[in-house]
Amino acid sequence: AEWNKVLLGVLTGAVALTIGILLGHFAIDKGSSVPDWVRDASRDVDESIIEKFLAELDTNQLRENLRELTKVPHMATTPGDEATVDFMLKRWQDPNTGLDSAWRENYKVYLSFPNKTSPNKVSVGKTGYLVTWFQNVYKPDQEDPEVVQPYAAYSPAGNVKGKLVYANQGKMSDYELLNRTLDLTGTIAITRYGGEGRSKKFRSLTRSSWYTSFIALNAINAAKFGIVGVLVYTEPYDMNDGLVSESETYPHSWYLPPSGVERGSYNIDFGDLLTPYLAAKDDTYRIPKEDITGIPPIPAQPIGFEDAERLICELDGDDAPNEWQGSLNCTYKLGGPGFKSTSTFNNRYYQIHLEELNKLHLQTVFLYVCCTDRYVIYGNHRDSWVHGAIDPSSGTAVMLEITRVLGKMVKEGKWRPRRSIIFGSWGAEEFGLIGSAEYTEEYFSKLSERTVAYINVDISVFANATLRASASPAAQSVIFTASKQVKAPGTTTTVYENWKQYSNRTSPNYGIIPNVGFLTGAGSDYAAFMHYLGITSMDISYFYDRSKTRARIYPAYHTAYDTFDYASTYIDPGFTSHQAVARTAGNVLLRLADSLLLPFNCSDYAESLDQYLGQAVTAFEEKLAAKGISMEPLKKAVQLFRDTAAKLDRLIRDSDLAKETPLKVRQMNDQLMLLDRAFLDPLAFPEQYGFRHVIWASRSSSVPTFPGLADAVEKAESTGLKEDWDQAHKHISIVTQAIAGAAHTLDDVI
């Protein structure tokens, strides 16, 4: 009944919007004798509306949004999460600044929590030494009883003992190196975050998820060598620029304190684990729990680096390789296995005792939607591991401020968008439901042919140096346009120029421009939208100066120190970076919602395909030719796409769109809107859950090019088997036909 109401609301809204387009639903009387519907059908984005919108976005409102969102921990399904749901619904239903409609959708998904009455523990033999997860308290936030103990979500329950070995980043190559000289059977490995995600399935993820998802592969790989448990810690060399003392870390700086522990969801696939490719509703079919894949087969537990130092610095055995060394106060050794005979643990044969008591539950995910015919979707996730000031509440704070300003303009009758805007606050993303996969499967998959784009701002501010964006190449131009209209905080220049100073590339078409990354791999909320549905997506944030730190992400990530105090003191004290993201992402949103012609550029897509082609030719052409496999069809397909894209761009540039019939404009818009959809192939990656986009799927290859081709060639090289070279040939055909097919979708309309 609840979903029927939702559908009824959506359909009613769609009808109303369609009638509005035809009858002047958006018109504001300017005293013209031209009928409203004619003026509305041909009007373009109103720059004065954008200027008004930019001026209204307020740093004080952003600050108060974040303060409210981070009052209590709000992990998915907890009372704090429910309070956040109520707060957002109240804001979105406000009679003066709310949206046209707002509601919640409930899903029952398989989540993993630690046992509160019998907490996880790591201890050392008979010494009584106990690794603790309760971080040192520096501010009242950390004393909240709802601060969940650090744990590895989806790690199996277990009670294992074994001698300790140090395995660097837990890559297959790391375990292979250890296995050459040590018997790993029955051991426990201590590893540092980072590595496996970059070198294997999650190599090119743009943001946060690979930092924890890699450990699932870490533990999966470890089990292959007979290892029975995995500890993982945050290496201060990787996160703290080598700083390890309490006097140098939070609350004295932005660096992670020694007792800080990074939580995470240790699963590989996104979406509910029991209902793959289905929405997790009450009556949905669920696979047996024993059939779940992509989670660790052995217990895993995160610890802080002060405990890691105590353990690693007591290890026996050979010195670890130079590239395995870190910033703890000792020379890292591999383990005997086990500890030195002279260690404070007295006996090299004392063992690590790792007890996992995680339990799995069916719980509820909350989502919100507003409005409805052609859609622009703006979203971020809501749940966090603890207070989550940066991840994800910085993005939620920005979204709430954007909706406040737009809602006020709508309620005052000063503006209505040409296309509908849907705002979504996704639940349980931290557990791996990235891209609101459940909602995507049930709802947006039915609307994907009418969805223009997805704008993702899940973590809006990492620090206050420069804009960072990853996007479908088609969206590059609209991001540039928006960023040229926003002032960079603390500078006299624009966000665009500031961005170009920090991160740039040389474009054959434009010269030196800011570098827009590709959305390769399932790294954030955009995953299901881009990779599964083929909706043109973008991910926008404010980032830190990479020349001043090697921190792999902001240091308090997924810890109890990611609080309002941390964000307001060290990340964005004046909330000007939050404002810059709100202005940039909001500007993009308005242009996507209001432009007569969608502000996408097909030639920019062609340039990216050229870039991928060049990498593939350099890396693979000679090797393929030796096996009688030609890359000429792929080259011709890219050339066809380049020519067709240029032709469409010329038609758009040379047309007086205001004089074209609405139908012709709509036809061109459909070509632009559906471009990324043309690259979907449901059969291209049968071994990868949720990936159908043949250009931007994840890859294990180190070569930044077409993922299926790159992975197939590298596998064939390693095995030398004819069937693997045949797979490489197959993937050339897959990507060739996808590109050629996409080119044909851009052919003549006018």
Side-chain angles (χ1 to χ4, degrees), residues 135-136 150 234 256-263 303-306 559-561:
Q135 295 100 314
N136 292 344
T234 300
L256 182 66
S259 63
V261 187
E262 183 177 325
R263 297 149 181 80
I303 64 175
F305 68 76
E306 69 176 357
T559 73
Y561 303 112

Side-chain angles (χ1 to χ4, degrees), residues 646-655 668 748-750:
K647 181 180 177 182
L648 178 59
D649 286 345
R650 284 194 301 271
L651 283 171
I652 292 172
R653 185 177 60 247
D654 297 340
S655 298
M668 284 192 287
D748 291 347
V749 171
I750 295 179

Side-chain angles (χ1 to χ4, degrees), residues 117-138:
T117 60
S118 184
N120 299 342
K121 61 183 179 180
V122 177
S123 59
V124 183
K126 298 177 182 178
T127 66
Y129 176 72
L130 185 69
V131 174
T132 178
W133 341 124
F134 295 98
Q135 295 100 314
N136 292 344
V137 173
Y138 302 111

